Amino acid sequence: MEKAKKSRLLVVDDESTNIVILKRILSPFYTVYASTGGADAIDAATELMPDIILLDIVMPDMDGYAVITALKNIDKTKDIPVIFLTAMTNPEDEIKGLSLGAVDYIFKPFSRELLLKRVELHLQLKRYSSGLEKMVKEKTQMVCELQNAILETFAEIVERRDKTTGGHIQRTQRYLWLLVDLLIRHDIYREQLSSWDLNLYIMSSQLHDVGKISIRDNILMKPGKLTDEEFNKMKKHASFGMEIIESIESKTRKNSFLEHARLLASSHHEKWDGTGYPLGLKGEEIPLQGRLMAIVDVYDALTNDRPYKKAFPHAEALEIIINGSGTHFDPLLVEIFAMYEKTFEGLRQT
Ligand SMILES: [Fe+2]
């Protein structure tokens, strides 16, 4: 049977006699490293990554308080449990040490049994908390994967019924990534965009047309141009989408993924001059989520076949978008789109 790996301890004390005593007690059970000064202890901790540090407080060059403060400021060492070993029994000193992040105090002179018990207890706590952390990470990952799978299926259901838009969701996601990336690079809406989790925003864009689930087959699947009445019914997909996402939101706690999804679904058909739907919002009243989607949604619709029209070539689609600047679309977004039109065209062809 393979022998269990020994836990590793770093003992820090300027008195070599103390180090000898500590090593004698601890070495039969643990791998023990020793440092006789603060600076050396920080180097050793960073290099060796011990499971626990036993740290003396009164040391000549750098005291234990300074050492623990430095360790807690280093990303790599900030989570290593530190136990103070000290002859100082004043409660204020103890509070100071604990508030600097020590997990425990052992007072000198200590008994062999007490030292071993306390060290073992803290090792157990450490194992337990890293096990817990690992479990939380795995569970979070699982929930994310599940959320993604449900989402994609949801989007596929919409897309499968709405046969005119095959591949629309994937393409608009690619255009959105490009547009958002260019805006950040050009310092446009940077503040707002950097407050978003962009992955969540792009992922949520899959739901922009989710309201089409509530549109009847004879309208959604009509193999030709819609009448005015039918088009008015079709327009309702924006508010239906908002209602669907609101209903999900009412069953869960506030989260930015659903907020992006709701704003996207409800505002991607609004127009800059206020003539869009469902609310007729104007300019920056229209959430940025929807203004971004509007431009990539229209570009994709123009450059693909629809039952009532053939796909327009890129140049023609570009012209329509440029002409829509300040009426249909946010002028700043059109400016960037036009500046990088070749990149969008390249992306369309991939
Ligand atoms: Fe739509």
Side-chain angles (χ1 to χ4, degrees):
M1 206 173 85
E2 200 185 322
K3 213 176 146 197
K5 216 174 143 213
K6 276 186 177 178
S7 296
R8 290 137 34 93
L9 313 182
L10 173 65
V11 295
V12 187
D13 201 307
D14 59 312
E15 300 260 352
S16 48
T17 351
N18 286 341
I19 296 229
V20 171
I21 299 171
L22 285 164
K23 275 195 165 176
R24 195 177 302 148
I25 300 173
L26 299 164
S27 291
F29 310 98
Y30 307 109
T31 304
V32 183
Y33 304 99
S35 284
T36 49
D40 179 57
I42 295 165
D43 288 346
T46 319
E47 201 174 307
L48 302 165
M49 290 299 290
D51 295 298
I52 280 190
I53 300 172
L54 297 166
L55 179 61
D56 184 21
I57 294 183
V58 184
M59 293 189 288
D61 296 327
M62 192 178 185
D63 70 10
Y65 299 133
V67 175
I68 193 170
T69 307
L71 290 170
K72 296 292 166 199
N73 278 318
I74 302 170
D75 228 34
K76 210 175 154 193
T77 56
K78 69 178 180 358
D79 295 323
I80 304 175
V82 174
I83 300 175
F84 275 131
L85 279 175
T86 179
M88 295 161 76
T89 52
N90 188 336
E92 274 106 67
D93 294 326
E94 200 175 339
I95 290 167
K96 183 176 177 189
L98 294 173
S99 58
L100 287 173
V103 292
D104 206 354
Y105 255 84
I106 297 177
F107 298 108
K108 293 175 190 171
F110 42 76
S111 79
R112 178 184 173 277
E113 285 70 28
L114 183 79
L115 177 70
L116 286 171
K117 274 264 171 278
R118 297 284 264 275
V119 167
E120 188 47 37
L121 175 76
H122 285 289
L123 284 169
Q124 267 174 18
L125 278 174
K126 191 182 177 226
R127 281 194 288 269
Y128 177 71
S129 83
S130 39
L132 213 62
E133 215 171 279
K134 197 170 155 238
M135 202 170 83
V136 169
K137 253 191 203 154
E138 281 171 8
K139 291 264 178 226
T140 313
Q141 170 87 9
M142 209 179 85
V143 171
C144 278
E145 283 173 12
L146 183 68
Q147 173 179 293
N148 249 337
I150 294 173
L151 240 173
E152 273 175 30
T153 312
F154 231 62
E156 273 167 28
I157 292 170
V158 176
E159 217 169 322
R160 214 170 290 164
R161 276 189 73 224
D162 186 11
K163 290 215 168 38
T164 59
T165 58
H168 172 68
I169 287 168
Q170 286 73 21
R171 288 191 302 269
T172 48
Q173 277 189 310
R174 290 209 298 267
Y175 297 143
L176 270 184
W177 263 127
L178 175 60
L179 187 54
V180 163
D181 185 50
L182 292 170
L183 291 169
I184 294 174
R185 262 198 263 163
H186 285 267
D187 236 349
I188 298 171
Y189 300 128
R190 180 199 272 268
E191 206 175 312
Q192 195 172 351
L193 290 172
S194 56
S195 72
W196 295 359
D197 179 329
L198 294 175
N199 273 309
L200 287 187
Y201 168 65
I202 307 283
M203 216 203 301
S204 76
S205 74
Q206 294 185 76
L207 294 179
H208 73 279
D209 270 342
V210 70
K212 285 186 177 172
I213 280 180
S214 310
I215 303 294
R216 302 176 86 107
D217 286 359
N218 63 333
I219 295 176
L220 191 69
M221 296 172 166
K222 185 175 173 181
K225 206 168 176 188
L226 299 178
T227 64
D228 284 351
E229 196 195 339
E230 287 166 341
F231 187 56
N232 282 335
K233 285 185 178 156
M234 182 68 152
K235 279 168 148 184
K236 292 205 168 128
H237 79 274
S239 37
F240 288 154
M242 181 184 76
E243 285 162 20
I244 290 170
I245 294 157
E246 272 175 353
S247 144
I248 306 174
E249 283 180 304
S250 71
K251 297 179 184 82
T252 179
R253 64 184 73 184
K254 191 174 155 55
N255 85 57
S256 51
F257 169 80
L258 289 172
E259 193 182 346
H260 283 311
R262 173 171 34 81
L263 294 172
L264 264 162
S266 63
S267 69
H268 70 283
H269 289 291
E270 297 288 359
K271 291 184 179 175
W272 188 256
D273 62 3
T275 60
Y277 60 88
L279 298 174
L281 299 177
K282 251 188 189 167
E284 293 200 8
E285 280 172 7
I286 308 165
L288 182 58
Q289 287 88 338
R291 278 182 273 148
L292 292 162
M293 190 67 206
I295 199 162
V296 302
D297 196 23
V298 168
Y299 177 69
D300 189 63
L302 290 172
T303 50
N304 283 281
D305 287 343
R306 286 289 185 272
Y308 51 89
K309 68 151 192 65
K310 279 272 163 222
F312 291 133
H314 166 79
E316 220 169 305
L318 172 68
E319 204 186 314
I320 294 173
I321 287 175
I322 292 175
N323 287 337
S325 174
T327 50
H328 189 159
F329 308 112
D330 178 340
L332 285 175
L333 303 186
V334 174
E335 205 180 309
I336 289 294
F337 185 85
M339 203 187 295
Y340 290 90
E341 46 107 1
K342 290 276 175 241
T343 322
F344 281 95
E345 187 185 15
L347 203 55
R348 181 173 73 93
Q349 289 157 348
T350 52

